[in-house]
Amino acid sequence: LCGSLRALGKCPVYYCEVFRYLWSSGFGILVFQEAMGSLLWRLEDVIGVEYATTADEAQSSKNMGLFYAVIGCGNTVGPALINYWNISDTNHPSTLLFACLIGFSLLSLGWLLTALFIGEEDFGILFLIWTFLRQMGAAIIWVNATLLLQTLSE
């Protein structure tokens, strides 16, 4: 890929070296894993804004505040629980990988439940609960993948 892009003049040499290094390393997928997490978070923001918006502007503001408060709580609680249960340890990279697996499970469960209950009458409250689950998973992935990258790149 880099050879063909370099021939077109669109891929500087240092980009090709970075991609080659990530491809050959054992942790290159983690770099792309964090980037994919960012894509999922932006999708969630769009859905959250859609369900927070009502005809009453004051209520819409309260809904948005509640939505972002739930996101903040999930970002705090997820990694804190993983640390509390001693699941991740930087001296053992496999535990960090296991924590990422737990994060992916929570993230997937939150999206699955959102998809299953999207037509329900009380979807607003359910959406906040599933958002909390998704954010716990996303934060667990973000923190532990970063720790794993730092551990493996030393």
Side-chain angles (χ1 to χ4, degrees):
L1 175 68
C2 283
S4 61
L5 288 175
R6 196 177 306 130
L8 294 172
K10 296 187 179 195
C11 184
V13 175
Y14 52 89
Y15 285 143
C16 291
E17 289 173 6
V18 168
F19 284 121
R20 198 173 303 120
Y21 172 72
L22 290 174
W23 185 262
S24 64
S25 70
F27 58 85
I29 192 70
L30 294 172
V31 173
F32 298 109
Q33 170 182 307
E34 289 192 18
M36 292 308 294
S38 296
L39 266 174
L40 288 174
W41 290 323
R42 298 302 62 89
L43 176 65
E44 182 176 356
D45 286 347
V46 171
I47 295 171
V49 168
E50 177 67 30
Y51 283 102
T53 305
T54 61
D56 182 17
E57 189 174 332
Q59 186 61 39
S60 292
S61 298
K62 289 178 187 175
N63 291 347
M64 285 297 291
L66 191 57
F67 173 66
Y68 284 107
V70 167
I71 288 174
C73 290
N75 284 335
T76 303
V77 170
L81 283 178
I82 292 293
N83 284 339
Y84 178 76
W85 289 325
N86 292 324
I87 292 175
S88 62
D89 180 13
T90 55
N91 294 326
H92 304 285
S94 61
T95 61
L96 296 171
L97 204 53
F98 181 67
C100 287
L101 183 63
I102 291 171
F104 274 119
S105 300
L106 287 172
L107 188 65
S108 300
L109 179 66
W111 278 114
L112 175 69
L113 292 171
T114 299
L116 290 175
F117 291 98
I118 202 161
E120 295 293 320
E121 189 173 312
D122 294 335
F123 183 70
I125 294 169
L126 292 174
F127 182 72
L128 292 176
I129 295 169
W130 309 150
T131 297
F132 181 75
L133 276 177
R134 284 193 309 271
Q135 282 307 120
M136 280 179 50
I140 290 169
I141 293 166
W142 190 266
V143 169
N144 288 288
T146 301
L147 288 172
L148 192 57
L149 279 170
Q150 291 173 356
T151 303
L152 293 177
S153 64
E154 291 179 349

